[in-house]
Amino acid sequence: MYRIIKPIFFKFDPEKIHHFVVKRLRWAHDSLPLGRTIIRSSFDVNVHGLEREVFGIRFKNPVGLAAGFDKNGEYVESLSSLGFGFIEVGTVTPLPQPGNDKPRMFRLQEDEAIINRMGFNNKGVDTMAERLRLLKQKEPGIVVGGNIGKNKNTPNEDAVSDYIKCFDRLFDVVDYFVVNVSSPNTPGLRALQEKEPLMHILNTLQQRNRKNDLSRPILLKIAPDLTNEQLDDIIEIVRETGIAGIIATNTTIDRHNLRAERSLTEQAGGLSGKPVRKRSTEVIRYLHDKSGGAFPIIGVGGIHSAEDALEKLNAGAALLQLYTGFIYEGPGLIKRICKAILKFQGIGRS
């Protein structure tokens, strides 16, 4: 079915059709008499053998939705019904902000990729926190991650205060946190990946985390463009701060070997999709092997097939996330990956 409707979707502006589709999905899930039952029965992958516990959280399956798809936590329940084992919302900032000027999202269909320069457009952490509070009351079993960032106008020397505000506001309504310092679309943000400022942010959040009776896992999302020396620093940072793990990787600023026309490939922003698959997997394998598997890694970047997913798991990922592959391949990709995992584990049937 998705192969039939995808060409129609791809005739429209990427950002506009995204909002159209997720709103219709939520309407079908929440309003139609049999909508929820039909959606869940069509995409259900809640199968024994897929469950796993990572950083103290029980996931019904290891395939999640990456941050950026549901920036404001508006569609968590309906997206979860498609079979995702967890949903990561955001990136959210303390104050609402419109993001960068439109157009700011571009499909590179020849490369099965997307370039975006959204710029952390969101309605602010207070709005998200209230939505997630209501969701947790209604559907407490959905695992939700909160991806947090800083406002564009906040100088880097004050960035830690923005992360603290988001952390405090979301603490009771998310299951884990992701510190995003790797988006290429907020000026100067990637400078926070350097060891000293990053240690300051993570240590501050961990100190706040330990003051609570119940702590939340804190993960760091990193760029695929880091050198091996920088990845060595990341391993050391995880060890010294005691954070729960790493998400590898965010979008890339690299533009090598793309086939789409230059008017697209030269757009500013982060590139996601198939072109980032190899580098993302390399980063996962390097971190896992060099650290001796000392911390969990969520693998994301260029997963467009079950084979891509198994590649990342074999490289050392404990969990997976989809974004661009989900857009190009449709929701059926989740079930295909889960079936492949079961078969690989010797549990499923061919």
Side-chain angles (χ1 to χ4, degrees):
M1 175 65 75
Y2 189 74
R3 291 181 180 179
I4 297 173
I5 61 177
K6 185 176 80 170
I8 300 173
F9 289 164
F10 276 31
K11 291 182 181 295
F12 295 91
D13 172 81
E15 189 172 352
K16 289 181 179 177
I17 196 65
H18 170 83
H19 290 298
F20 176 85
V21 171
V22 292
K23 287 178 180 177
R24 295 307 178 277
L25 174 64
R26 184 177 62 184
W27 174 79
H29 180 272
D30 295 346
S31 301
L32 292 179
L34 295 177
R36 181 178 306 197
T37 301
I38 292 171
I39 294 171
R40 289 188 181 275
S41 62
S42 298
F43 299 103
D44 180 47
V45 288
N46 190 16
V47 178
H48 176 68
L50 289 171
E51 309 94 334
R52 57 198 59 198
E53 186 171 314
V54 184
F55 38 82
I57 298 174
R58 192 71 178 172
F59 297 84
K60 70 176 184 179
N61 73 65
V63 184
L65 181 65
F69 203 92
D70 187 0
K71 291 179 177 292
N72 297 297
E74 297 174 284
Y75 309 104
V76 174
E77 189 178 2
S78 53
L79 288 168
S80 180
S81 71
L82 297 178
F84 285 111
F86 59 107
I87 307 288
E88 191 171 305
V89 296
T91 298
V92 68
T93 55
L95 299 176
Q97 58 182 29
N100 295 320
D101 293 339
K102 299 176 182 181
R104 54 194 181 183
M105 182 178 285
F106 308 88
R107 297 187 199 94
L108 284 65
Q109 294 192 50
E110 296 89 341
D111 301 291
E112 295 187 65
I114 289 174
I115 290 176
N116 92 83
R117 53 170 180 265
M118 305 300 288
F120 288 176
N121 56 306
N122 71 101
K123 298 177 181 179
V125 72
D126 287 339
T127 298
M128 176 182 282
E130 180 58 24
R131 284 205 184 98
L132 295 182
R133 183 185 66 81
L134 296 173
L135 173 74
K136 284 295 183 181
Q137 292 175 353
K138 184 180 180 184
E139 294 285 351
I142 298 177
V143 176
V144 179
N147 189 300
I148 58 177
K150 80 172 188 71
N151 281 112
K152 180 179 181 179
N153 294 330
T154 301
N156 277 6
E157 55 267 28
D158 298 328
V160 67
S161 65
D162 278 14
Y163 288 97
I164 289 172
K165 290 172 185 174
C166 292
F167 182 83
D168 287 348
R169 193 69 179 87
L170 295 179
F171 187 87
D172 292 328
V173 294
V174 300
D175 298 285
Y176 69 88
F177 283 96
V178 180
V179 175
N180 189 349
V181 291
S182 53
S183 169
N185 301 319
T186 295
L189 183 73
R190 282 191 168 192
L192 296 175
Q193 289 184 117
E194 296 299 323
K195 190 170 184 180
E196 184 177 347
L198 188 52
M199 287 282 290
H200 177 54
I201 291 171
L202 295 177
N203 275 326
T204 303
L205 291 177
Q206 282 289 66
Q207 289 168 10
R208 215 162 187 88
N209 205 13
R210 296 185 187 109
K211 290 180 180 179
N212 296 290
D213 294 334
L214 173 68
S215 62
R216 299 290 186 206
I218 298 175
L219 289 82
L220 173 66
K221 189 167 187 174
I222 63 173
D225 311 304
L226 300 180
T227 65
N228 285 349
E229 291 75 16
Q230 289 173 311
L231 292 176
D232 290 338
D233 283 343
I234 293 297
I235 293 171
E236 184 66 14
I237 287 168
V238 175
R239 186 187 69 80
E240 292 186 14
T241 62
I243 63 170
I246 295 292
I247 296 185
T249 62
N250 210 323
T251 58
T252 182
I253 56 175
D254 184 74
R255 295 293 190 270
H256 287 122
N257 301 319
L258 297 178
R259 295 178 294 173
E261 58 187 54
R262 290 181 62 186
S263 63
L264 291 173
T265 63
E266 293 180 353
Q267 293 289 340
L271 175 74
S272 61
K274 280 194 173 182
V276 80
R277 178 191 61 81
K278 181 180 178 182
R279 179 55 186 163
S280 170
T281 303
E282 289 173 350
V283 170
I284 293 166
R285 182 172 286 110
Y286 186 92
L287 291 173
H288 180 267
D289 291 351
K290 195 69 181 288
S291 72
F295 49 82
I297 301 168
I298 298 180
V300 55
I303 301 175
H304 286 239
S305 69
E307 291 73 24
D308 297 336
L310 293 178
E311 176 186 76
K312 283 186 166 41
L313 293 173
N314 289 331
L319 300 168
L320 305 168
Q321 286 181 334
L322 307 179
Y323 189 108
T324 304
F326 177 58
I327 292 171
Y328 274 90
E329 305 298 329
L333 177 61
I334 307 162
K335 182 175 283 190
R336 292 195 294 274
I337 291 173
C338 287
K339 286 183 176 180
I341 293 171
L342 286 172
K343 185 176 181 181
F344 179 76
Q345 293 174 161
I347 297 172
R349 297 177 179 175
S350 60

